[in-house]
Amino acid sequence: MTSSELWTRATAERYDAEEAEASSAAALASALAFLAELAGDGRALEFAIGTGRVGVPLRERGVPVVGIELSEHMAAVLRRKIDESVLPVVIGDMATTVVPGGFTLVYLVYNTITNLLTQNEQVECFRNAARHLEPGGRFAIELGVPPLRLLPPGQVAVPFDVSQRHLGFDTFDLVEQMLVSHHFTRDGDDGRYRRENSRHRYAWPAELDLMARIAGLELERRVADWDGSAFTQDSVKHVSVWRKPA
């Protein structure tokens, strides 16, 4: 049984509205171009495809996409957008679930590898990606850099969003390498906030590189964002690509 927390029906139904800005054509343009180039003429497999925020428009660009998704509720929202025959989705966890056929690209976006709450499961996720890749295929991950430089001595919380309708901050357990994202969202105009939180295991780029080596993959490139900008010590996230040797 995976350690990932299961998305509920209520959360799945709200997801697209809450991620509308990140789902716009302008916001996704660079990511879709990046992933389409990696996929080439082959098939792409999205781990934790969710409601299809990335997978559906990538399929609409002509890339054959298959998804793996743990939450049946998230997959049900995706299914309203696109037929199963066009974008198949297998219900299961991304560390062990196997789908038929080979792929030129396996990808994980939006920090989703941190949903796996143990290092062992994250290693198995890399192994599962390698299992699905054809020789020369790529595994791509989008992941934030842990913002521990923002923590002064004695502080355990870092805000990541302070807006009119949403307050978000992360709290850190530095010993266990865990963070909890806390969300306070105002749904209406009565001043009340809905509180939610989710647990994540954060990982550094170098740790991911070691996981890749264990899985038989080699780092091909690392950039700061989908636009290909240089990754530096000040980058807040990275897009990393590992290649399966031909």
Side-chain angles (χ1 to χ4, degrees), residues 176-230:
E176 298 296 330
Q177 207 165 306
M178 298 288 292
L179 70 84
V180 179
S181 286
H182 304 265
H183 300 267
F184 295 83
T185 306
R186 190 168 70 178
D187 290 326
D189 296 322
D190 59 1
R192 296 183 179 182
Y193 283 80
R194 169 171 42 87
R195 178 177 181 177
E196 296 176 308
N197 59 66
S198 58
R199 295 185 300 153
H200 305 267
R201 182 186 185 273
Y202 62 84
W204 300 95
E207 185 180 7
L208 298 183
D209 290 343
L210 183 55
M211 294 180 188
R213 287 180 59 191
I214 292 171
L217 305 177
E218 302 170 348
L219 180 66
E220 183 173 73
R221 59 173 149 160
R222 174 167 292 128
V223 292
D225 209 339
W226 297 108
D227 60 6
S229 52

Side-chain angles (χ1 to χ4, degrees), residues 70-89:
L70 181 63
S71 169
E72 294 185 16
H73 303 302
M74 296 287 277
V77 175
L78 178 151
R79 190 52 59 222
R80 298 172 198 161
K81 306 172 184 177
I82 193 166
D83 189 79
E84 172 75 18
S85 63
V86 181
L87 200 167
V89 175

